[in-house]
Amino acid sequence: MWIAPERRRAGRWVAPALAVAAGVAIGVTETARGHMTTGLVGLAVLLGYGALLAYRRGESVLTTHEAFGVGRRSGIHLRAAAMTGDVLVGVIVAALLVQALRGAEIGLLAGLAAVAGVTYFLSILMLNRSY
């Protein structure tokens, strides 16, 4: 049985694996410092981010509504919206990492990361029900 080369590439797993490895590193570092809650929250956020990256690695663009346009315009708009969301979530995760390593409060950033994760999860559920 022939498997397409794009399905066999390990490079598609680099970003999710890196996020999970960073989460484990943050969790261990913060726990060793005596900040167990911060370590667990950092680990949870980065595990969720790794799961998001793993899920999105092969995702195709689907038109969800006529408001996005039709054809090529629709694909461009949805890719731009997805990229905007990805960048914002990446910034929140990076800020959480920096704050955790500095030993600062991460509650607000963890809340923002949770809102982003729940929003993404609910949108997946809703879009899967409509198709």
Side-chain angles (χ1 to χ4, degrees):
M1 179 173 168
W2 182 77
I3 299 174
E6 55 270 7
R7 295 283 186 213
R8 291 183 285 159
R9 272 191 245 162
R12 298 180 130 196
W13 290 99
V14 170
L18 192 60
V20 170
V24 171
I26 291 293
V28 169
T29 302
E30 288 302 308
T31 301
R33 287 182 178 175
H35 304 117
M36 186 169 227
T37 304
T38 302
L40 290 175
V41 169
L43 175 64
V45 167
L46 283 163
L47 286 177
Y49 189 57
L52 170 90
L53 293 173
Y55 179 80
R56 296 276 318 268
R57 70 184 174 78
E59 189 176 69
S60 62
V61 175
L62 299 173
T63 304
T64 58
H65 195 273
E66 290 177 2
F68 289 118
V70 292
R72 186 168 187 272
R73 180 175 175 248
S74 152
I76 290 170
H77 181 77
L78 284 174
R79 274 189 228 110
M83 185 180 292
T84 302
D86 289 345
V87 168
L88 291 174
V89 170
V91 167
I92 291 170
V93 170
L96 185 132
L97 287 175
V98 169
Q99 290 295 89
L101 290 174
R102 287 179 52 207
E105 179 62 37
I106 63 167
L108 178 63
L109 293 168
L112 287 172
V115 167
V118 169
T119 302
Y120 190 78
F121 179 71
L122 289 176
S123 67
I124 288 172
L125 287 177
M126 298 312 268
L127 290 174
N128 281 336
R129 293 178 90 192
S130 66
Y131 288 104

